[in-house]
Amino acid sequence: MQQVSIDSVELPIHLSAKIIARRLSVTVLCLTLAGVLSGYFWLSEFPFPASKWFYELFSLDREFNIPAWYSSFSLLFCSGLLKVITAMKTKDRHFVDWKTLSLIFFYLSLDEAFSFHEILIIPSVRQSLHLNPVFFQTWVIPGAILVGVFAFKYLKFLLHLPQKTRYLFLIAAIVYVGGGLGMEMVGGLLRVDFGRHTLITLIGIIVEEFLEMVGIVIFIYALLAYLSSLRESIQLKIYISEK
């Protein structure tokens, strides 16, 4: 039988901003509840063998586990969406801003997975400079400076966006930075005043990670909604060759 040559194959993928945001919100809630349970196991010093395994798998204060990888992949998704917008904004005066945002979120994804920022945690600097407990994690100092520079540089970019997108971007940034940077500073204060192995410090960690994940969900919704306002469909072509 003669084979029919097909020039192209369509594999339509429908993305609904509201549906994706709802499903991601449920995922965030489940991961947070799992993190709370793992924190209970940690505080109770692992009452049974499987509790330590559960803690390592779902703790919100550890790396290379399910919550960390979820956050990394969601940030990578943001970077991909920003890349799509960048491809549509080649003649826009804010083209470079979109492209830079995509690269920033790609780096944040890698940092979430591999914790590059922890290189900047230098106890000797904290001790020699007698820093306030809010700077217990010394990376927050250059982090706060970078956030300030970013906010200054992107003010005009933010103002040129449609009103709905602008507000969503702003809310996402406040929630994400408030969790990642603000609660990290609060967490340093709690760790110094109450110790690491305490309920109040654990609550601070849970709130920090929850705010980060919620901020990312808001940003994903904002990007998808903005994309839908630009174009109803996007063609993604994949070329396959034997060579």
Side-chain angles (χ1 to χ4, degrees):
M1 181 180 293
Q2 185 178 3
Q3 292 184 346
V4 179
S5 176
I6 301 176
D7 294 330
S8 62
V9 177
E10 288 190 6
L11 297 173
I13 300 175
H14 301 280
L15 299 178
S16 167
K18 290 183 178 180
I19 291 175
I20 289 177
R22 281 198 294 265
R23 290 178 179 175
L24 288 177
S25 297
V26 172
T27 302
V28 168
L29 182 60
C30 291
L31 288 174
T32 303
L33 292 175
V36 171
L37 183 57
S38 71
Y40 166 75
F41 291 150
W42 177 62
L43 287 176
S44 58
E45 298 182 350
F46 310 113
F48 50 91
S51 61
K52 189 171 184 180
W53 168 83
F54 188 91
Y55 167 76
E56 292 175 350
L57 199 60
F58 290 102
S59 172
L60 297 175
D61 194 32
R62 292 179 66 88
E63 309 299 334
F64 304 108
N65 62 4
I66 290 177
W69 286 113
Y70 163 79
S71 295
S72 177
F73 281 116
S74 60
L75 287 165
L76 186 62
F77 186 48
C78 289
S79 177
L81 292 174
L82 287 163
K83 183 68 175 177
V84 173
I85 295 174
T86 301
M88 299 168 62
K89 294 281 187 176
T90 52
K91 296 182 180 180
D92 190 277
R93 64 192 179 101
H94 290 287
F95 166 76
V96 175
D97 295 320
W98 286 109
K99 185 176 181 179
T100 304
L101 263 183
S102 178
L103 294 174
I104 288 173
F105 274 84
F106 180 72
Y107 169 78
L108 289 175
S109 172
L110 293 177
D111 183 67
E112 191 68 39
F114 302 107
S115 299
F116 297 143
H117 66 276
E118 291 191 359
I119 298 173
L120 299 174
I121 300 177
I122 310 172
S124 59
V125 172
R126 180 177 65 243
Q127 294 166 4
S128 61
L129 296 178
H130 304 288
L131 295 176
N132 189 283
V134 296
F135 302 120
F136 182 84
Q137 307 284 12
T138 52
W139 74 265
V140 301
I141 300 174
I145 294 172
L146 288 174
V147 167
V149 172
F150 175 84
F152 177 76
K153 290 287 186 180
Y154 270 80
L155 181 59
K156 290 183 179 179
F157 168 81
L158 187 67
L159 293 175
H160 105 282
L161 292 171
Q163 185 177 21
K164 178 183 176 180
T165 306
R166 184 192 316 142
Y167 288 151
L168 286 172
F169 274 30
L170 189 59
I171 293 170
I174 291 172
V175 174
Y176 182 77
V177 175
L181 187 64
M183 285 304 300
E184 185 82 350
M185 297 170 75
V186 173
L189 186 64
L190 295 175
R191 185 171 296 193
V192 171
D193 289 349
F194 298 97
R196 186 174 184 274
H197 201 268
T198 59
L199 176 60
I200 190 168
T201 302
L202 175 63
I203 292 173
I205 292 170
I206 292 171
V207 171
E208 173 188 339
E209 298 299 327
F210 176 74
L211 289 176
E212 283 188 33
M213 291 189 288
V214 169
I216 297 171
V217 172
I218 296 171
F219 192 57
I220 288 174
Y221 172 77
L223 290 173
L224 287 171
Y226 181 65
L227 264 172
S228 69
S229 70
L230 295 177
R231 195 169 298 176
E232 285 188 11
S233 64
I234 299 170
Q235 289 186 345
L236 174 65
K237 292 185 177 181
I238 301 175
Y239 297 94
I240 302 174
S241 167
E242 185 178 353
K243 297 182 180 180

